């Protein structure tokens, strides 16, 4: 039994302590935004925020979220998050879409920590989020737009 805050609301998971948080989110709490990609912390498709820090939910035991705040793409409502979602649409970022919630959660954590990242800082921050559709250029452009730098890049 694990209690934590999910997207601003208290929740209780009845799953065993070592159940990956991603399983709890998707299968127990029915939030399907975070995706299962690799299952070994290598792709970023499952990225959520744990107390504001981007975290790979596929390898985090649900017990590690006890008493903490988990934010998924469904609950991302910060200014940075809203700017990113709008930029994702304007820049037409997704192709298949599978990696995209993880990409946005990683980008949101970046902009919340660093509202005006350099191109190099964006590349470094997003380096661990893989996209098999190779949308990397549009992902970077959308982050620059969300950060208010997009026009300068065009
Ligand atoms: S599914 Fe978690 S990092 Fe790939
Ligand atoms: S848009 Fe298809 S994996 Fe990224």
């Amino acid at each position: 039994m694990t209690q934590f805050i999910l997207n601003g609301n208290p929740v209780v998971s009845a799953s065993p302590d070592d159940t990956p948080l991603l399983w709890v989110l998707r299968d127990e709490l029915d939030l399907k935004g975070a995706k299962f990609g690799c299952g070994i912390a290598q792709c970023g498709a499952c990225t959520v925020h744990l107390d504001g820090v981007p975290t790979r939910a596929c390898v985090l035991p649900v017990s590690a979220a006890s008493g903490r705040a988990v934010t998924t793409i469904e609950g991302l409502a910060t200014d940075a998050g809203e700017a990113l979602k709008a930029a994702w649409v304007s820049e037409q970022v997704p192709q298949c879409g599978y990696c995209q919630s993880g990409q946005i959660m990683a980008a949101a954590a970046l902009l919340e920590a660093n509202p005006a990242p350099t191109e190099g800082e964006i590349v470094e921050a997003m380096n661990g989020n893989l996209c098999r559709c190779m949308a990397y250029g549009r992902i970077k452009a959308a982050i620059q737009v969300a950060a208010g730098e997009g026009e300068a890049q065009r």
Side-chain angles (χ1 to χ4, degrees), residues 5 15 33 35 57 76 85 91 98-99 125:
I5 304 297
S15 296
K35 297 292 191 284
L76 182 67
K85 285 185 271 186
E91 299 305 305
Y98 199 83
C99 72

Side-chain angles (χ1 to χ4, degrees), residues 79-80 83-84 87 107 110-111 114-118 122 140-151:
D79 288 348
L84 285 163
L110 166 64
L111 293 189
N114 179 4
T118 64
I122 293 172
K140 185 176 69 176
I143 295 170
Q144 290 171 321
V145 168
E149 302 163 12
E151 295 305 319

